[in-house]
Amino acid sequence: VPCYVFDPDGKKHDLNPLIKVSDGYLVDDGDDDSDFYINICRSLNTPGKPCSEGSAACLITTHGSFSMGAPTRPLEGLSSDSLRLQYELSADSTPPERCGEHRPTVNITFICPSSRHSGSTPKMVAESNCRYEVEWVTEYACHRDYLESHSCKLTSEQHDISIDLTPLTLSCK
């Protein structure tokens, strides 16, 4: 799924740098008997760990590994300093037996750190009936200032930047 979003002010929030090509992020769930792994905006690629293919959230316990879902909708902006990704089990997948009649859902909320709080690792803040709430304080949830141009010249008076790339263009003769 797309891993960036524009807020109402047109500012871009980009989580692409958090995507892991291999492995995943271990979520601090406070439980020593299980491990909960996630990847951001794409499935986990975890060599040596028994997570099922296509899973973006995976619970590993002494009883096995269980897919807890994959991205089903794009990243969404909740406010100017928080974003949310939701993972769900596909409709044609059978929920793990441990979930009973409930379909697994994982909500990952990304929060831009305030001046009083630094970033953190992903942390499980709630879990009930295979519905997981993860919070991650990360600077990637903050908006980014990008210079964009449809020519080879980029300028920003606010940051006192002027870049001219036209000397690098090839002229056809």
Side-chain angles (χ1 to χ4, degrees), residues 95-112:
E97 202 174 290
R98 70 186 327 270
C99 295
E101 297 176 15
H102 303 279
R103 294 198 73 72
T105 303
V106 180
N107 285 309
I108 308 167
T109 303
F110 302 89
I111 301 167
C112 177

Side-chain angles (χ1 to χ4, degrees), residues 13-90:
H13 301 257
D14 190 352
L15 298 182
N16 278 296
L18 293 176
I19 296 172
K20 287 218 175 194
V21 176
S22 63
D23 210 11
Y25 294 98
L26 178 62
V27 175
D28 177 6
D29 62 359
D31 185 354
D32 292 338
D33 295 332
S34 66
D35 289 334
F36 196 91
Y37 288 92
I38 59 171
N39 198 1
I40 305 307
C41 300
R42 69 184 292 182
S43 11
L44 289 157
N45 177 6
T46 51
K49 293 188 184 76
C51 296
S52 60
E53 192 173 328
S55 175
C58 178
L59 176 67
I60 301 174
T61 71
T62 54
H63 302 293
S65 71
F66 308 94
S67 175
M68 292 296 146
T72 54
R73 56 183 79 157
L75 178 68
E76 64 178 317
L78 299 176
S79 69
S80 62
D81 61 358
S82 67
L83 312 170
R84 181 173 56 205
L85 259 180
Q86 187 174 71
Y87 296 163
E88 296 174 321
L89 209 55
S90 65

